[in-house]
Amino acid sequence: VTWGVKGVSRVVSGGEGAITANMTIDLFGSLMYVSEEYELIEGIRPICQSTKLMDKDPVVRKMAEKDLLAMGFSAKEYLFKQRAASTPELQKAIDALWERIVKEEEKRARILELLSN
């Protein structure tokens, strides 16, 4: 006699997809079999966008801003780490962008609340 255990994890930030793990355990509690399946699509992740906020090319600056805004709160750790190692000028740009991210996320929350009513 064996029992099956199944779990699914959903990707919620920085991509799309799911990971499914299946385990088979015998009557004595010993693990007999493990399988895993995954379907993942990588999403936007920070690479060097914060350093491009000060680029001389306005198109490059806009692309960096757009990517970081799309990442939203998931970019926080990256941005704050980059901010700590940046020049004062870049720190100001990161601070301004972070304020925009916070406002966008607040707006998103209001929209979701309206849609749920």
Side-chain angles (χ1 to χ4, degrees), residues 53-67:
L53 293 173
M54 303 302 297
D55 197 278
K56 61 183 174 184
D57 184 341
V59 173
V60 172
R61 286 195 311 267
K62 189 71 173 170
M63 288 171 36
E65 286 178 18
K66 190 173 182 178
D67 283 355

Side-chain angles (χ1 to χ4, degrees), residues 37-107:
E37 299 173 25
Y38 56 91
E39 290 281 340
L40 301 173
I41 299 170
E42 187 173 331
I44 299 172
R45 300 214 189 270
I47 302 167
C48 65
Q49 286 91 337
S50 69
T51 61
K52 298 300 182 184
L53 293 173
M54 303 302 297
D55 197 278
K56 61 183 174 184
D57 184 341
V59 173
V60 172
R61 286 195 311 267
K62 189 71 173 170
M63 288 171 36
E65 286 178 18
K66 190 173 182 178
D67 283 355
L68 290 164
L69 285 169
M71 286 181 247
F73 283 157
S74 67
K76 182 178 182 177
E77 184 179 338
Y78 163 76
L79 282 173
F80 282 52
K81 182 178 179 183
Q82 294 299 316
R83 186 189 185 286
S86 298
T87 64
E89 185 180 31
L90 184 52
Q91 286 178 353
K92 287 180 185 178
I94 290 171
D95 291 345
L97 182 67
W98 182 250
E99 286 181 33
R100 287 180 62 197
I101 289 171
V102 169
K103 287 179 183 176
E104 291 273 327
E105 293 293 336
E106 289 170 350
K107 186 184 211 179

